Amino acid sequence: AQSVSQHNHHVILSEAASLELGCNYSYGGTVNLFWYVQYPGQHLQLLLKYFSGDPLVKGIKGFEAEFIKSKFSFNLRKPSVQWSDTAEYFCAVNDEKKGGKLIFGQGTELSVKP
Amino acid sequence: GAGVSQSPSNKVTEKGKDVELRCDPISGHTALYWYRQSLGQGLEFLIYFQGNSAPDKSGLPSDRFSAERTGGSVSTLTIQRTQQEDSAVYLCASSLLRGRDNYGYTFGSGTRLTVV
């Protein structure tokens, strides 16, 4: 069955540190890929998405992600985190043959210390 | 509307009672989804609507759970004979599907269900 794995359950960084959150998926077909963010007390918001084309995708708030097909990965990166990036981050995959259903990873909680 | 609207935002119910959760998606979004988020867990898929039909309801945990969508718009998730393990945040999302491209979900704020 299709699945999404986020390797880090909880990441703690100091401000200005670089961030990389891992995401791997198990499906070998054509997929759409997403990262969502949930700030404390807020609803889930789309950070960035990949359909096709340039595998390096830029999103909001300085985030970017790179799709590496050979590794089934879609890691999220940010060169310098801020305290306001403290949130939970979810990777998601959509099998384009299965309509709009997204499969989500378990999430990674990011805590940024000021 | 401007966003996905869910009601109620909070619901406390007694074990064994039925509850109805409502979702009003973004106008023009043909696809609507229900997910469940439990403490410390990721998002668990429940059911997906395309228009008024549900091509995938594989995530509904038991026959106590049902959902419908009318007029290609509002959806209702019904949980009958609620159990304590049903306590969770129920999230609704809608999306624009164009061909094979899913433009990503817009989520509502969720309904926090507590079964006591």
Side-chain angles (χ1 to χ4, degrees), chain A residues 36 38 51 96 100-102, chain B residues 33 35 37 56 100 102 105:
Chain A
Y36 284 83
Q38 188 170 29
F51 296 155
E96 65 171 26
K101 174 183 173 181
L102 262 63
Chain B
Y33 315 83
Y35 283 79
Q37 186 175 24
D56 189 343
R100 290 184 167 182
N102 181 338
Y105 291 0

Side-chain angles (χ1 to χ4, degrees), chain A residues 95-112:
Chain A
D95 174 357
E96 65 171 26
K97 293 183 180 178
K98 293 189 177 179
K101 174 183 173 181
L102 262 63
I103 304 297
F104 285 84
Q106 291 297 99
T108 297
E109 184 179 347
L110 172 66
S111 299
V112 180

Side-chain angles (χ1 to χ4, degrees), chain A residues 1-3 15-16 22 29 35 47 51 56 59 61 69 72 74-75 77 79 87-88 91-92 97 102 104 107 114:
Chain A
Q2 195 175 16
S3 67
E15 276 194 314
W35 276 96
L47 261 183
F51 296 155
L56 185 62
K61 303 187 180 185
K69 189 174 181 179
F72 299 93
F74 190 56
N75 292 354
R77 301 195 293 246
E88 190 155 18
C91 181
K97 293 183 180 178
L102 262 63
F104 285 84

Side-chain angles (χ1 to χ4, degrees), chain B residues 32-107:
Chain B
L32 185 148
Y33 315 83
W34 285 97
Y35 283 79
R36 180 166 72 174
Q37 186 175 24
S38 305
L39 190 63
Q41 309 259 335
L43 276 76
E44 177 188 4
F45 170 78
L46 297 178
I47 187 170
Y48 146 56
F49 287 93
Q50 178 65 31
N52 291 334
S53 64
D56 189 343
K57 51 179 87 171
S58 61
L60 294 177
S62 73
D63 58 8
R64 296 187 295 106
F65 288 72
S66 63
E68 65 174 12
R69 189 180 185 195
T70 55
S73 182
V74 173
S75 176
T76 303
L77 176 68
T78 301
I79 309 173
Q80 296 179 308
R81 306 181 302 282
T82 52
Q83 303 294 313
Q84 287 185 327
E85 61 263 27
D86 300 335
S87 297
V89 177
Y90 289 81
L91 294 170
C92 176
S94 67
S95 76
L96 183 62
L97 296 180
R98 196 167 283 156
R100 290 184 167 182
D101 290 336
N102 181 338
Y103 284 75
Y105 291 0
T106 299
F107 279 92

Side-chain angles (χ1 to χ4, degrees), chain A residues 52-101:
Chain A
S52 61
D54 188 345
L56 185 62
V57 179
K58 295 193 184 298
I60 60 171
K61 303 187 180 185
F63 286 91
E64 64 179 31
E66 184 175 13
F67 171 51
I68 303 179
K69 189 174 181 179
S70 61
K71 295 184 178 180
F72 299 93
S73 70
F74 190 56
N75 292 354
L76 182 70
R77 301 195 293 246
K78 186 171 184 179
S80 175
V81 295
Q82 301 172 314
W83 176 78
S84 58
D85 293 324
T86 295
E88 190 155 18
Y89 293 81
F90 293 90
C91 181
V93 172
N94 165 227
D95 174 357
E96 65 171 26
K97 293 183 180 178
K98 293 189 177 179
K101 174 183 173 181

